[in-house]
Amino acid sequence: MKLFDVYPLFNVNITKGKGCKVWDEQGQEYLDLYGGHAVISIGHSHPHYIAKVTEQLGQLGFYSNSVINKLQQQLAERLGKISGYEDYQLFLVNSGAEANENALKLASFKNPTANRILSCEKAFHGRTSLAVEVTNNPKIVAPLNDNHHVRFLPLNDIEPWIRELSRGGVVAVILECIQGVGGIQMATPEFAQNLAYACKRFGATLICDEIQCGYGRSGKFFAHQWLGIEPDLITVAKGIANGFPMGGVLISPDFQPVYGQLGTTFGGNHLACSAALAVLDVFEQEQLVENVDAVGSYLIERLKSMNNPHIKEVRGRGLMIGIELDVPHKDVRLPLIDDEHCFTGCAGTNTLRLLPPLCLTKAEADLFIEKLTNILKKL
């Protein structure tokens, strides 16, 4: 049997990681400004994380959601406190797409007569049924998923959103406060506040997809907290468990749970919860959210002060940064890997996307500037 060949791969086999660095099978070191696609939050192979997951595995790796799991309860309490949502409820799943699926289902259960969803142009919310339908990429929407529930509207232009909401029948609005795949486009406070007000006025559920931009990556725990809004549902995944597959939905107290309404086999399992609790331990002990704000601001300013003719714009907040180039990103991203041994992400055709572990230091930010400068000089 062969692998189903859907991933274009770099010719690198990464076998080890530590902090913001990884190594290939030849022992070559790489600076990791990609974080495995924003998944590595507290750094590769953090010793506290390893100890906690190993300890849990030695006791119990898995049992089903038919019994009490006190680790889930601890995680809900800790996450509520650190995020500022102590009055919300938590439903645990396995991935970001699954989190968005369940958020959209909850919105539909709450308002069963509505059947329209509003999403952003350039939005990405996942590759499964409803999640891919609210993703603005026709190439990955299978015909069976294209059920015409969704209208895509421009970010930061409130008028078309209000027009659509006022027509009625909108069950949910789903928003990335900082778009990832869309190129690190940021919602403005004015737009977000007007949209939140309009959702309440017209009875639509506001979902903030914080899968990539949340969990400390923006320099606050959630990116929407820069905007002065409080969504009805918040979806999380990526860095929640530092590489262990996990996702979740934070649910407003306006939603009342019903037995059997949602369910999952693996979601919130003992190993996942131990990993997620270890992540929160490190967040608090190492003040990672504060580090993101400081180092992210520093890196953004350094990128802007380069005044390089190939850099058209620097966008983002915290350690979620887009560098828009005047050349295809592959012309910079590939030599960064091959020649400078540095991983970055990308968006669209011209944007480098930086999503490093949240423990990135100013010295490592300086090292990236040096590596990027070396490549841009050769263009």
Side-chain angles (χ1 to χ4, degrees), residues 200-240:
K200 290 197 185 311
R201 180 182 172 193
F202 295 109
T205 294
L206 176 59
I207 303 168
C208 277
D209 178 339
E210 294 270 0
I211 288 159
Q212 189 169 133
C213 63
Y215 237 82
R217 183 154 294 280
S218 73
K220 289 187 183 288
F221 197 86
F222 288 126
H224 70 258
Q225 291 169 326
W226 290 102
L227 306 178
I229 61 173
E230 189 173 286
D232 301 298
L233 301 170
I234 305 163
T235 55
V236 294
K238 298 290 188 189
I240 184 173

Side-chain angles (χ1 to χ4, degrees), residues 120-172:
C120 275
E121 293 172 357
K122 299 184 179 180
F124 185 91
H125 298 290
R127 295 176 181 269
T128 55
S129 184
L130 275 171
V132 80
E133 194 175 353
V134 295
T135 291
N136 191 204
N137 182 355
K139 293 179 181 178
I140 64 171
V141 180
L144 196 61
N145 303 132
D146 191 10
N147 295 310
H148 309 291
H149 294 120
V150 186
R151 183 76 184 270
F152 295 101
L153 301 174
L155 183 68
N156 294 330
D157 181 1
I158 193 62
E159 293 305 322
W161 296 81
I162 292 175
R163 278 199 303 271
E164 288 296 325
L165 284 161
S166 66
R167 286 177 51 205
V170 175
V171 64

Side-chain angles (χ1 to χ4, degrees), residues 15 39 336:
T15 58
V39 167
L336 270 173

Side-chain angles (χ1 to χ4, degrees), residues 15 28 96 119-120 143 175 183 236 265 290 318 326 353 357-358:
T15 58
Q28 175 62 57
S119 182
C120 275
L175 174 69
V236 294
T265 296
E290 293 83 355
D326 69 346
R353 187 166 30 143
L358 307 185

Side-chain angles (χ1 to χ4, degrees), residues 184 296 299-300 303 314-316 318-323 352-354:
I184 318 298
L299 179 52
I300 288 169
L303 287 164
V314 178
R315 298 185 294 269
L319 291 177
M320 186 172 183
I321 302 170
I323 306 168
L352 283 182
R353 187 166 30 143
L354 307 185

Side-chain angles (χ1 to χ4, degrees), residues 13 40 42 49 54 61 79 93 153 170 181 220 262 293 304:
N13 177 21
I40 300 300
I42 63 172
Y49 177 85
T54 302
L79 180 54
V93 290
L153 301 174
V170 175
V181 173
K220 289 187 183 288
L262 305 178
D293 192 28
K304 289 180 177 178

